[in-house]
Amino acid sequence: MTGLNTRDSGAATGTGDRSRPRAALPALCLTQIVSWGIVYYAFPVLNPRITAATGWTAGATTAAFSLGLVVSALAGIRVGRILDRRGPRAVMTIGSALGVTSLLVVATAPSLPAFFVGWALAGFAMAATFYQPAFAALTRWWAPDHIRALTIVTLAGGLASTVFAPLTAVLADHLSWRHTYLVLAAILATLTIPAHALALRAPWPDAPPTPAHADTGESRPERSGPFLLLAAAFTLSAFTMYAVVVALVPLLMERGYTINQAAWALGLGGAGQTLGRTLYAALARRTTVTARTTILIALGGLTTAAFAAVPGPYALLVAVSIAAGLVRGNLTLLRATAVTDRWGTTHYGRLSGLLAAPATTAAAMAPFAGAALAAPLGGYSHLFVFLAALSMTAASTAAWTSPDTAHQAKVRPAPRPPRPSG
């Protein structure tokens, strides 16, 4: 009888195996590869063909894509609230269907405004199918072993560009960009809609109570100082990280390297990112949440500064790119676990959505802002110095994101007034 109660309790809190749908983890690995690969990574491959075929400027088509990222950031707040209450099955299934619809609109867009509408719809699909809902599902179902599950899914997600960038290029060699998107939409529909509908059917466990160590005495943690500072740190960090990724190729070309050499350096950085994700669990066991947040963001700043300071040789720049990738891989999992490590899993969807919104918006704007700042700053080397300074600002902000510290300061008793004499 005791064993039965234990298992039931585990299912209710998301800590028991009975509450974990066995097919969910492999299904989410598959759907993250496919969703990211088709909805996100196919665009950079197809964009030159889109502009050549339509006459639309690269700035305009890229702005449409960035609009989708901004919509994703804003929609993610509402999606997070729904995930907390109802779980991921309906959200991710509908999101996959919406992703297919958005690609059909993009592929058949007769004008630039219609192209923008298609990417706005894609933004809602991203919010409902990318990492945020997958992380919410795994955090509730797999707790307290969620770091392992999150690592597995992000390792799979890291293969999205490896699989779909070459596949998209092959399709585009034989088809128009419009027909390529139609084929990709069919693949997205075939692989993700049934996977989300069938593999995420397990009952959604009740939210566990907030752990004692995460109880700050705040009924709404998003209004607390640590949460706001964490959002600021992640926003600055996301801006610098995505600006560095996009600006690395022009930085190396500015220094005389070929575009193929620059592309290889960027690609090997992606390999470092995958490797970095395998190291996060060990780092989490050996550091406090505030320490590793500060350390990882600061390391991101140091690798960015190294790009600015090291002109060559090429092998050394590749080594810096791999090191930067290692940091980026850890930062992905750091963001995935930031809410759980500080405030528990009770309101993971809502809090992670609020935390991700400004960071995703900053990431969407980073490519444009980085390119716009390079010229007035005096070139890409100076841009990387500026980005490194932003990262260090983010790291110093992260040092104040411990809710325990804030709570201790809040509940510290006031000095007792002296007793009146007599």
Side-chain angles (χ1 to χ4, degrees):
M1 188 70 175
T2 302
L4 178 61
N5 290 339
T6 301
R7 289 193 298 270
D8 287 347
S9 175
T13 61
T15 60
D17 289 341
R18 287 181 58 191
S19 68
R20 299 176 183 176
R22 292 183 179 180
L25 186 55
L28 288 173
C29 288
L30 170 67
T31 60
Q32 289 303 299
I33 293 173
V34 176
S35 297
W36 276 96
I38 291 177
V39 181
Y40 188 92
Y41 286 109
F43 175 78
V45 177
L46 292 176
N47 195 37
R49 299 174 186 269
I50 295 172
T51 57
T54 62
W56 302 333
T57 67
T61 55
T62 305
F65 180 70
S66 292
L67 172 64
L69 296 176
V70 173
V71 170
S72 172
L74 299 177
I77 298 173
R78 179 60 180 169
V79 167
R81 296 177 188 273
I82 296 172
L83 287 166
D84 281 337
R85 294 196 303 269
R86 301 180 183 177
R89 186 189 182 198
V91 168
M92 300 191 78
T93 303
I94 294 171
S96 293
L98 187 56
V100 173
T101 302
S102 70
L103 293 184
L104 295 178
V105 174
V106 167
T108 58
S111 63
L112 189 58
F115 190 77
F116 271 78
V117 170
W119 280 110
L121 291 175
F124 290 103
M126 293 179 201
T129 58
F130 278 11
Y131 278 145
Q132 181 188 334
F135 288 166
L138 296 174
T139 297
R140 182 74 66 89
W141 271 324
W142 260 259
D145 194 27
H146 55 284
I147 290 180
R148 181 182 65 86
L150 294 173
T151 301
I152 292 171
V153 166
T154 54
L155 286 172
L159 298 174
S161 61
T162 305
V163 174
F164 279 95
L167 175 60
T168 301
V170 170
L171 289 173
D173 284 339
H174 297 85
L175 303 170
S176 69
W177 73 268
R178 294 183 186 274
H179 287 98
T180 297
Y181 260 132
L182 291 176
V183 172
L184 292 175
I187 295 173
L188 186 69
T190 301
L191 295 180
T192 65
I193 295 176
H196 288 147
L198 298 176
L200 305 179
R201 292 185 296 176
W204 188 234
D206 293 333
T210 303
H213 76 274
D215 184 5
T216 64
E218 293 282 351
S219 60
R220 299 187 68 83
E222 66 270 28
R223 297 178 181 176
S224 67
F227 187 92
L228 296 175
L229 290 173
L230 185 64
F234 279 173
T235 299
L236 290 174
S237 175
F239 179 87
T240 58
M241 182 174 73
Y242 281 89
V244 164
V245 168
V246 174
L248 181 58
V249 170
L251 171 73
L252 297 186
M253 292 180 67
E254 184 180 76
R255 291 175 172 172
Y257 296 100
T258 68
I259 189 170
N260 285 337
Q261 287 176 312
W264 270 105
L266 180 61
L268 290 171
Q273 184 170 312
T274 301
L275 176 61
R277 289 169 179 169
T278 67
L279 306 175
Y280 182 78
L283 178 66
R285 287 193 298 269
R286 291 169 171 79
T287 58
T288 65
V289 60
T290 305
R292 63 179 168 272
T293 303
T294 304
I295 291 169
L296 287 173
I297 295 177
L299 287 175
L302 289 175
T303 56
T304 303
F307 278 125
V310 176
Y314 178 71
L316 183 56
L317 286 169
V318 168
V320 174
S321 182
I322 293 173
L326 285 169
V327 176
R328 288 199 304 272
N330 277 278
L331 283 170
T332 300
L333 287 167
L334 177 74
R335 294 188 184 100
T337 57
V339 169
T340 305
D341 288 342
R342 289 172 173 82
W343 298 285
T345 62
T346 306
H347 303 291
Y348 179 89
R350 172 170 61 86
L351 294 179
S352 63
L354 290 169
L355 199 61
T360 304
T361 303
M365 303 308 297
F368 292 104
L373 287 170
L377 288 174
Y380 280 92
S381 292
H382 292 93
L383 172 64
F384 273 65
V385 172
F386 172 74
L387 294 174
L390 282 185
S391 285
M392 290 306 179
T393 302
S396 64
T397 302
W400 300 93
T401 60
S402 170
D404 294 334
T405 302
H407 180 48
Q408 290 164 9
K410 180 178 178 180
V411 301
R412 185 180 293 118
R416 182 176 298 177
R419 289 185 179 181
S421 60

